[in-house]
Amino acid sequence: MKSPSSMTTPSRLSSAQAPSTQGSAPQAQPSSSPPPAKRQVRPAAVPIALGLCAALLLTLSIAAMTGQVPLTLAQLLGVLVSPFDIAEGERLAHVVFWELRLPRALMALLVGAALAMAGAALQGLFGNPLADPGIVGVSSGASLGAVAVIVLQLDFLGLWTLPFGAFVAGTMTAALIYRLSGLVNQRGNANLLLIGIAINAIAGAVTGYLTYLASTEQLESLLFWSMGSLGSIDWRNVGIVAPIVVFAAWQLRRQARPLDLLALGERQARHAGVDVVRLRRTLIVLAALLTAGAVAFTGTIGFIGLVVPHLTRLLIGPGHRQLLPLSALAGGLILMLADIGARSLDPPSEIPIGILTATLGGPFFLWMIARGRSRGTTP
Amino acid sequence: MNTGSPLPLTAFPRGTCTSGRAVATTSVASAPALELSGVSFALGGRKLLDDIDLRCEYGSVTALIGPNGAGKSTLLALMAGDQPAKSGTLSLAGQPIESLSVRELASHRAVMPQDSVLRFAYLVEEVVGMGRQLHVSDPGLDGPVIAQAMRVAEIAHLASRDAMTLSGGEQARTTFARILTQQTSILLLDEPTAALDLRHQERLLQSAANLARRGCCVVVVLHDLNLAAAHADYLVLLADGRVILQGSPWEVLDAERLGVVYRQPVSVLAHPQRGCPIVVTRDAAAINSPEAGEATFPS
């Protein structure tokens, strides 16, 4: 500000100051009068949720009817209506539906929902839409834990040993990654991904060493782990995973508002009243719980946690109060569909579901990166 | 947009700062909003703040001024409770700041940072609504409070824009609206006008001054001495982590003192309309300083 100019302003200033409210009103008016121009109101969450629920039910019935022993709609209704009163000729249909198809479909629903919610939570925590349980290393850590349980023949907790091993290893991996990314101080995209790559490599190496030690019989279980499958799911598995997922989902939902504020950065979230340190710890534990619960019996299923929250965000916006439950529904839906595909693409045998999700998710991931580049922002 | 009313910030659904909710107890009411005594702070062995004594009262606007690296933002961060002081005591709303939880802090003070980040494509009104984090118990008030804050910051027309696509100035106004919805009795603003045009610089600081008139304590870091002189009740001149001078604008904006502190000769005039001081720079050649003015390189 040069002195001559401000010396000449007084007369103009004093005259301009008084009518400034009138002078400014037309200035502000044109910008506010055509608001519909950029109006992009969010779609309502409830209709979308209802639609997803309907799609889930439909998919569930399709999943129940397709497979090596196809069921007709009449048979399906029959076993549904009278679950205990088994007609003579329908014995096979009963067993297929109640013992095989239903637990399997429910597990797909649970696992898909868990991975999607874990992905949404981690993306919110890291402020990075490219974060997911796989890339952040939680699932490779969790499967390392599970592989260790298999190969070292641990069973100190009986049936719970496997999910417990997966959970402990998954949580520890998550904590380690968080500490490492915190040490470098900027939790930037590249940084996070590089740390994730390193952790994945280390976990992969240890898993590889355990594989090397494994017996032929154990190798079969390990192969199942690396590719993911819903092939041998029974009600006991569902009974273990369901409470974990439901509990973690319920806890996670309570963090929805704080998660929104994290989008402002940790410092500003704190200024607005979010205890960031505690939130961070809670989210890591919940994401690890969900991921570990998901992979405990089905093995590594990639990209659901990455792709589903992202798609849901495109649909409904980033607000976590809608994003978390809708991601859960969409994740369950997509994994159920993927499982139908895995069972029916190559009829006599099953394609491991992890291969299927990775086949679809990999290109999608690349597209997301390209899209982020072209927009100059993270997607 | 309601630009017709002369006072841009009027009638929040409930008194923003005068309501008893924010100021916790009656015993606190007599205490200053912020009281610092002997506060020092160091980072990496470098002393950033040295023995600061300062009182900021409810009902006043205090501007922190000083050259780059004087410690203004560091001081504000300490007042916000971001970091503990290395020594000395700092009390906020009558309580030692280290005794307040994150939530309690946020119910007493809102902070407008220098730069705002946003990681996902929230709408402007959603971002503004994030200031209501602490008011989840009273969701009925969210709508009116958010709408009012957006009117004050003149961003009502941006309400359903993707907040990641805003210009710097629009971002700053969105942030200002967001911290208004926090409805605290203490506002800490770190260079809030840096990205704003003339009109919005004036409006933002006028809004802050209006909040002070209604009982808030506003502390604002400003680079523009003229804005500080026009809108603040007290100025605190900092240099090298120390308070050089504090008082009314006319007391602090002393041409000679500013020339030394900023290493830039200035003249102080009276504002033709407002009567407050205005500071203008002068050519360095006027004083005999080898560093000042055009650099003369030895050939």
Side-chain angles (χ1 to χ4, degrees):
Chain A
M1 198 186 285
K2 281 264 189 270
S3 47
S5 66
S6 56
M7 292 294 269
T8 54
T9 37
S11 55
R12 295 199 323 113
L13 239 183
S14 49
S15 61
Q17 194 69 26
S20 74
T21 40
Q22 298 148 25
S24 61
Q27 207 176 20
Q29 219 53 32
S31 54
S32 62
S33 53
K38 291 213 163 148
R39 202 99 193 149
Q40 41 148 280
V41 182
R42 304 261 189 241
V46 175
I48 294 179
L50 289 177
L52 281 172
C53 284
L56 270 176
L57 281 177
L58 187 69
T59 312
L60 190 62
S61 351
I62 295 172
M65 293 192 292
T66 48
Q68 284 179 39
V69 182
L71 301 184
T72 64
L73 192 58
Q75 279 175 311
L76 178 63
L77 290 174
V79 297
L80 275 174
V81 167
S82 54
F84 303 108
D85 177 27
I86 305 167
E88 228 1 82
E90 297 297 311
R91 182 145 193 93
L92 182 64
H94 261 269
V95 172
V96 164
F97 177 74
W98 288 108
E99 299 302 320
L100 297 175
R101 301 264 165 87
L102 189 59
R104 181 173 184 155
L106 287 181
M107 188 58 125
L109 176 65
L110 283 170
V111 170
L115 289 174
M117 281 187 294
L122 288 174
Q123 289 173 11
L125 171 63
F126 287 100
N128 186 329
L130 301 186
D132 97 319
I135 279 167
V136 166
V138 180
S139 39
S140 62
S143 42
L144 168 61
V147 168
V149 169
I150 295 172
V151 174
L152 306 176
Q153 290 171 318
L154 308 173
D155 67 341
F156 50 93
L157 287 174
L159 196 61
W160 288 80
T161 318
L162 190 64
F164 179 79
F167 173 65
V168 170
T171 318
M172 278 166 49
T173 320
L176 184 67
I177 289 162
Y178 201 89
R179 283 300 281 276
L180 289 174
S181 64
L183 281 182
V184 201
N185 205 14
Q186 289 163 330
R187 260 165 239 108
N189 297 356
N191 195 8
L192 173 70
L193 295 181
L194 291 177
I195 290 170
I197 288 168
I199 294 291
N200 277 326
I202 295 167
V206 179
T207 310
Y209 182 68
L210 288 170
T211 313
Y212 169 73
L213 293 178
S215 65
T216 321
E217 191 186 322
Q218 288 166 342
L219 272 180
E220 219 167 287
S221 324
L222 295 188
L223 192 65
F224 143 93
W225 259 97
S226 59
M227 297 193 292
S229 166
L230 290 158
S232 53
I233 295 302
D234 60 28
W235 281 112
R236 282 180 309 170
N237 307 144
V238 178
I240 289 174
V241 173
I244 295 178
V245 171
V246 170
F247 170 77
W250 169 59
Q251 289 294 316
L252 193 57
R253 179 100 165 92
R254 297 176 48 192
Q255 309 297 333
R257 275 185 87 110
L259 260 172
D260 282 345
L261 271 100
L262 270 190
L264 299 171
E266 296 195 353
R267 184 159 172 250
Q268 295 186 51
R270 197 181 121 88
H271 287 157
V274 176
D275 189 340
V276 174
V277 177
R278 228 177 75 189
L279 175 66
R280 194 190 286 161
R281 212 177 300 138
T282 310
L283 289 177
I284 286 283
V285 170
L286 290 178
L289 196 58
L290 285 166
T291 310
V295 302
F297 294 105
T298 60
T300 321
I301 298 176
F303 289 100
I304 293 285
L306 170 73
V307 171
V308 172
H310 187 76
L311 284 177
T312 314
R313 207 177 280 116
L314 288 179
L315 197 66
I316 195 76
H320 286 88
R321 269 168 298 171
Q322 291 88 39
L323 182 66
L324 288 170
L326 289 186
S327 290
L329 290 176
L333 178 66
I334 288 178
L335 200 61
M336 240 198 273
L337 284 170
D339 188 44
I340 295 175
R343 286 188 288 140
S344 52
L345 281 179
D346 188 16
S349 58
E350 281 183 17
I351 302 170
I353 194 166
I355 294 179
L356 211 66
T357 55
T359 311
L360 299 174
F364 183 83
F365 189 67
L366 288 175
W367 171 75
M368 264 172 65
I369 295 169
R371 184 171 171 272
R373 273 289 148 67
S374 69
R375 280 181 52 180
T377 56
T378 43
Chain B
M1 196 176 301
N2 186 17
T3 37
S5 70
L7 288 180
L9 190 84
T10 46
F12 261 71
R14 252 163 237 170
T16 314
C17 8
T18 44
S19 75
R21 176 161 41 82
V23 184
T25 55
T26 44
S27 68
V28 163
S30 58
L34 282 156
E35 187 164 29
L36 291 77
S37 65
V39 167
S40 298
F41 184 74
L43 199 67
R46 221 171 73 84
K47 205 155 202 181
L48 298 179
L49 292 174
D50 189 8
D51 196 23
I52 305 276
D53 293 312
L54 198 61
R55 269 169 79 97
C56 303
E57 305 284 350
Y58 289 111
S60 73
V61 177
T62 305
L64 307 179
I65 56 172
N68 292 337
K72 307 181 291 292
S73 293
T74 310
L75 181 57
L76 203 78
L78 253 59
M79 288 174 167
D82 289 351
Q83 281 151 323
K86 287 284 178 289
S87 61
T89 58
L90 203 169
S91 67
L92 184 130
Q95 288 152 288
I97 198 160
E98 62 277 3
S99 73
L100 296 170
S101 71
V102 175
R103 234 186 139 75
E104 286 168 331
L105 277 173
S107 70
H108 286 301
R109 60 98 184 93
V111 186
M112 177 161 174
Q114 258 181 52
D115 48 347
S116 31
V117 203
L118 187 68
R119 266 95 162 252
F120 293 105
Y122 287 91
L123 305 182
V124 168
E125 61 186 351
E126 290 172 333
V127 172
V128 173
M130 287 178 187
R132 303 294 293 167
Q133 163 70 9
L134 274 177
H135 300 260
V136 273
S137 53
D138 200 358
L141 232 67
D142 288 2
V145 170
I146 292 167
Q148 171 72 9
M150 290 200 297
R151 268 199 300 279
V152 169
E154 290 199 332
I155 51 165
H157 61 290
L158 302 173
S160 38
R161 266 269 295 274
D162 174 354
M164 287 174 92
T165 65
L166 298 178
S167 75
E170 289 167 339
Q171 267 174 36
R173 278 145 61 199
T174 303
T175 307
F176 183 63
R178 173 169 64 79
I179 68 156
L180 286 181
T181 65
Q182 217 172 314
Q183 293 192 303
T184 56
S185 53
I186 300 171
L187 283 105
L188 307 173
L189 315 174
D190 197 353
E191 290 184 40
T193 54
L196 298 181
D197 59 30
L198 281 180
R199 169 186 171 79
H200 289 105
Q201 289 181 354
E202 287 291 320
R203 275 189 64 97
L204 189 145
L205 289 172
Q206 254 159 30
S207 306
N210 285 335
L211 285 170
R213 296 296 89 79
R214 291 164 56 215
C216 284
C217 168
V218 179
V219 181
V220 52
V221 172
L222 284 173
H223 262 300
D224 187 328
L225 299 179
N226 296 320
L227 284 174
H231 298 286
D233 305 303
Y234 301 101
L235 301 190
V236 178
L237 176 61
L238 290 159
D240 295 324
R242 272 190 295 271
V243 175
I244 303 294
L245 209 56
Q246 53 178 313
S248 71
W250 277 112
E251 285 166 353
V252 173
L253 297 180
D254 170 68
E256 204 174 316
R257 195 74 77 111
L258 289 178
V260 174
V261 167
Y262 282 89
R263 296 189 296 139
Q264 165 67 44
V266 297
S267 294
V268 177
L269 317 165
H271 191 291
Q273 185 216 14
R274 292 169 170 163
C276 62
I278 52 176
V279 179
V280 293
T281 51
R282 289 170 46 189
D283 284 340
I287 61 168
N288 242 345
S289 162
E291 325 163 26
E294 282 176 57
T296 49
F297 296 103
S299 45

